[in-house]
Amino acid sequence: SAVEFGLDAPYRVEYHDSIGSTNDRARELAASADRDEVVVLADEQTGSRGRLDREWTAPSGGIWASLLLAPERPPAHVPLFTLAAAVATTSACREAGVDARIKWPNDVLVPGSTVDDATAGTGRESAGERGRGGAKLAGILTEMEGEADRVSWLVVGIGVNANVARESLPVGATSLRAETGDVDRRVFVQRLLERFHELREAPESVLPAWREYSATLGRRVRVETPGGVVEGEAVDVTFPGALIVRTPDGERTVHAGDCEHLRTA
Ligand code: BT5
């Protein structure tokens, strides 16, 4: 419960010692009549998910959170919420003393980590020289349902490897414990939620903040999109969260995909 967790947040808080997936729980709440905005937190997840049905490792000691939101916004604006969550997460990691940066769209990496696996948590450990850019500290999974002009529910799932040993995480991952030492999870979540709330109230500040924390802009990237591979220099991010890539054939605007940082020659 909120009292047990001692969190002073503008959201109702539901805490679980162990749960399958906080995103699944938030989706369950979305289906109930109660239209409150809720944060579901867990110490451990036993069936958590990444994007595209990938597995997400979530041992005890991490920060596993799902924000159930009901914004009065069209579905097309949802990527901005995901970027805001990445900014808020990165900001909380930085306050904890870690040089965290965002890989488009919303992976939080530690570029200087001693764990600088070539694929940084993309699940493709043999991808050769692709993917360099740091070890993965946090990931975000956004799910939603909506009509053409209005989101009916939105779940922003945030996973931060907090007080977790690196050995209990996949190759290419790092944790706050490994980078800087254990954190007070209550303080961390409080900061994350406050920052997220600020960004929600000033949506025009999301892209500038994202740019400031970006590990991707200015890099050569290879993005696997539903429509094919786009390779070039990442030059900017634009509303509602698309990446602009300068390719030999001109600028391409990429709305979704898996991004790998290429090593500069
Ligand atoms: C993500 O997916 O990065 C989104 C992760 C979202 C997790 C949160 S936790 C709270 C909420 N409840 C859920 O069930 N999910 C959300 P993606 O970009 O697809 O990255 C997945 C890949 O990262 C996997 O294929 C692994 O290679 C790697 N990976 C798995 N667990 C990891 C971890 N703990 N830390 C770093 N990398 C990990």
Side-chain angles (χ1 to χ4, degrees), residues 225-240:
T225 78
V229 171
V230 177
E231 203 173 304
E233 187 195 347
V235 289
D236 202 7
V237 68
T238 185
F239 184 84

Side-chain angles (χ1 to χ4, degrees), residues 21-23 45 48-51 54 56-57 121 123 136 139 161 173:
S21 154
T22 54
N23 262 42
Q45 295 179 110
S48 52
R49 297 175 281 114
R51 296 178 302 149
R54 292 177 193 132
W56 182 259
T57 307
K136 184 158 165 174
N161 302 322

Side-chain angles (χ1 to χ4, degrees), residues 25-26 34 39 46 59 74-75 87 92 103 107 114 119 153 196 208 213 217 227 240 244:
R25 174 60 186 151
D34 179 1
V39 181
T46 53
V87 168
K103 184 178 77 150
D107 276 359
T114 50
T119 49
W153 59 261
F196 183 74
Y213 290 161
L217 299 183
I244 300 179

Side-chain angles (χ1 to χ4, degrees), residues 26-41:
R27 292 177 64 151
E28 213 172 276
L29 291 169
S32 72
D34 179 1
R35 298 308 298 157
D36 273 4
E37 296 201 318
V38 184
V39 181
V40 180
L41 292 166

Side-chain angles (χ1 to χ4, degrees), residues 102-104 109 118 129-134 214-217 219-222 234 259-264:
I102 309 169
K103 184 178 77 150
W104 184 86
L109 306 181
E129 52 175 42
R130 298 208 291 269
R132 269 213 180 279
S214 168
T216 300
L217 299 183
R219 301 276 310 238
R220 282 193 56 77
V221 295
R222 179 179 190 279
C259 171
E260 295 174 85
H261 293 162
L262 301 178
R263 202 178 292 174
T264 21

